Amino acid sequence: MDSATFLRLPSSIQRLITDGLDAEISAAFERIGQAKTDRRIEPAEVRFLEGDIVRASALRQRLTGEAATS
C-alpha cells in the first residue's frame, strides 16, 4: 500500500495501523532492554528485534511520512 492509498483510509483505520506499528516498535525496544539484563537472550534474537524496529519504522514512515512516536 502506498502513502496516498493509506491516507484515503478512514482516520480510525489509519490510527489502528499506526498504533499497531508503534506498539510493535515499543515492544521490540522493551525486549532489547530486557536482553541487556537477561544473558539468556541470544545476540541473534536482539538483531532480529532490531530488524523489526527498522522494518516497522520504515513502513510507518512510508505510509504516513512521519517517524514513529516511540
Side-chain angles (χ1 to χ4, degrees):
M1 175 183 306
D2 63 10
S3 180
T5 302
F6 176 77
L7 295 174
R8 285 194 301 265
L9 292 171
S11 61
S12 61
I13 302 299
Q14 290 179 31
R15 192 170 38 258
L16 179 69
I17 292 168
T18 56
D19 287 352
L21 290 170
D22 289 343
E24 182 176 335
I25 292 165
S26 292
F29 273 119
E30 184 177 318
R31 186 74 174 125
I32 289 171
Q34 291 171 352
K36 291 179 181 179
T37 59
D38 186 350
R39 301 294 181 217
R40 294 174 294 174
I41 297 174
E42 297 292 325
E45 183 178 351
V46 172
R47 286 191 302 276
F48 181 78
L49 291 166
E50 291 169 341
D52 282 351
I53 292 168
V54 170
R55 285 184 293 278
S57 296
L59 177 56
R60 190 185 199 290
Q61 176 72 32
R62 191 175 77 232
L63 291 175
T64 67
E66 301 172 354
T69 59
S70 299

